[in-house]
Amino acid sequence: MAGALGQAVDQRFWNRATQTADRERLDALHLARIRHLVGWAYDNSPLHRRIYDAAGVKPADIRTWDDYHHRLPFTDKPDYVRDQESSESGFGGLALGPEHWQQYFHTTGTTGRFLHEAFSQFEMHKAGTQLCYGLWSQGARPRDSIYFCFDFGMWVGLWTYYWGARNLGLTIVSGGGATGEQRVRHILERRPAIVCATPTYLLHLAEIAEREGLDLRRAGVRILAGGGEAGLSVPRIRERLAEAWGVERIHDAYGIGEALFIGQSCDVWAGGVHAIEDVCHSYSADPDSGEPVTDTGGVGEHVITSYTHLVQPFIKYRTHDLVRIDDRPDHGCGWTWKHFPGVVLGRSDFMVTIRGVNVYPTAVENLISEVPGLTHHYELHLSRRDGMDRMLVRAEAAAGVGEAADLAARLSAHLRDHLGVRLETEIVHAGTLPRYELKTRRIFDAREPGARAATTREGR
Amino acid sequence: MAGVAQGGVAQGTRTRPDLDPLPSPEPELGTGPEPGTGVGSGLGVDVERQRARLLALHAHLAQEREAALSPAIERALETAQMYLFLALGYVGHTDELFPDELQIPAEIQAAPAAFPSTDATEATEAGGIQS
Ligand SMILES: [Zn+2]
């Protein structure tokens, strides 16, 4: 591929034309796309038409950034969940029907039921391009190989990595269906240039290798690529990974299930990602007032409009991720795209990410109430160890109910079935948990604010 | 080739006629008109030229798809259009958001179905893009 490029092509960037364009030009492109998208969604998505009609807004009213910020209503996950629950298709916010779908996925919802997502073939292609900018910046090139430490399931993130590998021209090595030890041995045998997994799993493989007396540093891996968790924005985690794997580069990707991996780390700044402005628009807003955050360094809720996901449009969509956005980054990489130092600094709701899966306490609460033998008293304990969020569900057995261990197993299985991840569970005797006269306290968050995000300027 | 890419014909159909085009922030000398709307992407002359060539190529593919002799050929060309549309995104194309929005202008559908050259120089000349 490189040989086919003209002499004048700048090899440093995946797509220099837009990646280094000035802010004013980028904003003009965004506004043109957003206006088009709003009109398209109004015509094709009953959910969007209802939302815009209720706000008294027509697509032609959205002409300026002020219109976008102040006239166009926000959308949020509960809008899609409600629409999904009342629709025959079982999908919310649809603008294109099943004849356009290539694949569907689900992401965690807020009520204990999955939010279903559908993507067209073009959208999967385009979702893959989102990964290319960052991987290219880290030095990945066509015919490098990438090893995937995943069983391909219903989580869209991995699939977009797969499509990204295809779009970039990488050689794909699947680690599907293998045990951790087998994967370590595959990696040592196949010597992939890139290994892709969540940070938790990359650490897990390093521990397995150590236990088995195998040295992953001999595999010649150049780049670790991951995302879906905060781990790669934590310096200590990056250092441990770099040491255990002997890698120079660690590629972090930030995404939301609805709009895929829309943030990528560049080669000079670790612990932060650039918005991929070819595929979405990003800004931050005060979670309470909805006003755009305009002061440099101000923290706000990340609000996105996706140009990739069109079967289900996501326009001015609240991610509930708290971010700090640098509109005009100048840290030497050459990208002009907005930068998120520290990636996600927190949440404007109580969502936590457990081993790559987003878990909403509201969903857990609903699911606890569905397990026979439990009272309605429970506590959710959030903590963070080595940059990874954890949740302990402590629930109370009803009087006269049998073995706590059985109950814990039933609760754990129910949560796993509906959330896609196993949580720690503990059953206590009837009457153990405190009863509150006033506002009941059920969520105990022991995580230190700000402990998660730290940035360094080293690219690793 | 003649009649395929002239006068903006090959460059897609504006799908939101109810929306007025906005002026580009700083029109660049020599950037040329944005296909379909008369507004440039503002990303530079080379980028605009490539965009025009890609749109012409898309129209050629669409035309050939219409004349496909088998489902196999039709599907192969549809897939090619998807990849091509990725390239349009990279050059700041905003008239359409995904390939199905691009329509084949009637002038092209009526034109002979001979497969046109994809030579970039020829496309540029036929597209009337001025340097
Ligand atoms: Zn950068």
Side-chain angles (χ1 to χ4, degrees):
Chain A
M1 178 176 157
L5 294 173
Q7 295 299 311
V9 171
D10 190 337
Q11 294 277 354
R12 187 172 174 193
F13 302 99
W14 176 246
N15 189 47
R16 188 186 65 81
T18 52
Q19 239 172 311
T20 63
D22 63 53
R23 174 53 38 207
E24 288 67 30
R25 289 185 200 288
L26 291 169
D27 283 347
L29 292 174
H30 282 304
L31 192 55
R33 286 191 172 117
I34 286 171
R35 296 176 73 223
H36 186 115
L37 186 55
V38 168
W40 187 79
Y42 187 83
D43 288 346
N44 294 284
S45 160
L47 172 65
H48 286 83
R49 180 176 285 251
R50 280 202 305 276
I51 289 172
Y52 296 156
D53 281 347
V57 172
K58 292 279 185 274
D61 297 334
I62 308 303
R63 298 176 56 82
T64 65
W65 285 114
D66 189 55
D67 296 332
Y68 178 68
H69 290 140
H70 294 107
R71 298 190 69 179
L72 194 72
F74 288 104
T75 55
D76 202 350
K77 185 173 267 190
D79 297 325
Y80 291 80
V81 171
R82 277 194 297 272
D83 196 43
Q84 169 177 298
E85 288 171 353
S86 63
S87 75
E88 281 184 23
S89 67
F91 288 76
L94 280 181
L96 289 170
E99 68 276 16
H100 295 273
W101 302 355
Q102 183 193 46
Q103 194 164 355
Y104 62 88
F105 303 95
H106 60 215
T107 185
T108 323
T110 49
T111 64
R113 298 292 172 262
F114 290 114
L115 179 67
H116 298 294
E117 299 179 284
F119 291 83
S120 71
Q121 185 176 12
F122 171 71
E123 289 169 15
M124 293 310 296
H125 273 296
K126 187 162 181 182
T129 69
Q130 301 181 189
L131 275 303
C132 295
Y133 302 86
L135 286 171
W136 185 274
S137 179
Q138 302 290 354
R141 292 295 181 269
R143 285 178 287 283
D144 277 339
S145 59
I146 183 167
Y147 185 89
F148 286 112
C149 304
F150 294 96
D151 298 327
F152 283 72
M154 293 294 280
W155 180 51
V156 66
L158 168 63
W159 287 91
T160 61
Y161 252 111
Y162 163 76
W163 282 91
R166 285 181 58 161
N167 274 313
L168 205 149
L170 302 177
T171 300
I172 293 165
V173 186
S174 171
T179 65
E181 185 184 334
Q182 287 168 333
R183 284 171 175 157
V184 169
R185 292 185 188 280
H186 289 166
I187 289 164
L188 286 163
E189 286 165 15
R190 303 307 313 165
R191 302 180 59 78
I194 307 157
V195 172
C196 178
T198 62
T200 306
Y201 197 78
L202 290 168
L203 287 171
H204 175 62
L205 287 188
E207 286 166 6
I208 290 175
E210 193 176 327
R211 192 182 67 213
E212 298 296 320
L214 300 167
D215 187 359
L216 276 171
R217 287 171 296 189
R218 291 177 50 216
V221 175
R222 299 200 326 258
I223 305 167
L224 294 179
E229 293 176 343
L232 295 182
S233 61
V234 179
R236 195 171 67 249
I237 305 282
R238 281 200 305 275
E239 286 162 14
R240 275 173 57 189
L241 287 170
E243 166 66 20
W245 287 79
V247 298
E248 291 291 320
R249 319 295 320 173
I250 294 179
H251 173 248
D252 192 6
Y254 155 66
I256 63 166
E258 298 85 340
L260 314 168
F261 281 117
I262 51 176
Q264 307 283 310
S265 57
C266 65
D267 59 339
V268 302
W269 193 283
V273 293
H274 287 275
I276 303 301
E277 296 199 36
D278 275 349
V279 302
C280 78
H281 175 260
S282 284
Y283 81 102
S284 68
D286 182 302
D288 298 321
S289 69
E291 282 296 308
V293 173
T294 53
D295 56 317
T296 306
V299 173
E301 180 177 325
H302 187 203
V303 179
I304 60 110
T305 291
S306 168
Y307 313 139
T308 300
H309 199 175
L310 303 163
V311 166
Q312 291 162 296
F314 289 88
I315 303 169
K316 201 177 169 184
Y317 182 70
R318 298 184 60 168
T319 67
H320 295 275
D321 288 332
L322 295 177
V323 296
R324 181 179 286 125
I325 299 182
D326 181 355
D327 276 359
R328 296 170 190 270
D330 182 21
H331 51 241
C333 66
W335 303 33
T336 49
W337 288 350
K338 294 177 184 179
H339 191 253
F340 298 60
V343 197
V344 177
L345 308 175
R347 291 283 299 178
S348 64
D349 58 11
F350 270 108
M351 190 199 81
V352 293
T353 304
I354 312 289
R355 294 191 293 284
V357 175
N358 295 338
V359 176
Y360 293 88
T362 48
V364 176
E365 289 166 356
N366 278 348
L367 293 167
I368 291 170
S369 70
E370 295 173 355
V371 177
L374 295 177
T375 69
H376 294 301
H377 298 283
Y378 57 87
E379 293 174 351
L380 308 181
H381 291 263
L382 309 179
S383 60
R384 180 170 297 140
R385 189 181 301 165
D386 290 338
M388 314 298 174
D389 283 338
R390 304 159 66 93
M391 183 187 290
L392 167 69
V393 180
R394 181 173 292 150
E396 191 181 275
V401 171
E403 281 296 310
D406 293 345
L407 207 45
R410 280 211 302 277
L411 174 61
S412 179
H414 191 61
L415 292 171
R416 182 180 169 78
D417 287 348
H418 291 278
L419 298 172
V421 68
R422 189 176 295 281
L423 303 182
E424 298 160 71
T425 54
E426 180 186 329
I427 304 295
V428 296
H429 294 299
T432 306
L433 295 178
R435 271 60 169 166
Y436 297 89
E437 288 183 13
L438 296 172
K439 190 172 169 54
T440 299
R441 188 171 181 218
R442 299 192 190 284
I443 298 175
F444 298 81
D445 192 347
R447 298 171 299 173
E448 286 179 31
R452 173 172 172 172
T455 59
T456 63
R457 187 180 169 153
E458 55 178 273
R460 190 172 86 176
Chain B
M1 190 72 198
V4 170
Q6 289 181 351
V9 169
Q11 289 126 8
T13 302
R14 188 172 173 76
T15 51
R16 294 294 312 180
D18 56 319
L19 300 180
D20 302 332
L22 292 176
S24 62
E26 287 175 58
E28 229 177 49
L29 278 178
T31 297
E34 177 180 353
T37 65
V39 178
S41 70
L43 294 172
V45 177
D46 291 344
V47 176
E48 278 302 301
R49 284 183 187 149
Q50 181 139 52
R51 188 159 73 98
R53 292 195 300 271
L54 291 170
L55 283 164
L57 185 53
H58 193 285
H60 302 332
L61 281 170
Q63 183 184 19
E64 199 58 33
R65 199 175 147 194
E66 290 284 313
L69 296 175
S70 69
I73 295 170
E74 200 277 335
R75 177 73 181 132
L77 293 173
E78 182 185 18
T79 308
Q81 285 181 306
M82 289 178 203
Y83 276 105
L84 187 59
F85 203 87
L86 294 181
L88 280 167
Y90 291 137
V91 293
H93 183 74
T94 60
D95 284 9
E96 291 82 19
L97 298 167
F98 60 105
D100 287 354
E101 279 197 307
L102 274 170
Q103 295 162 9
I104 313 167
E107 298 90 320
I108 292 179
Q109 287 182 323
F115 192 75
S117 165
T118 54
D119 175 75
T121 310
E122 190 179 340
T124 302
E125 288 165 2
I129 304 301
Q130 304 301 312
S131 55

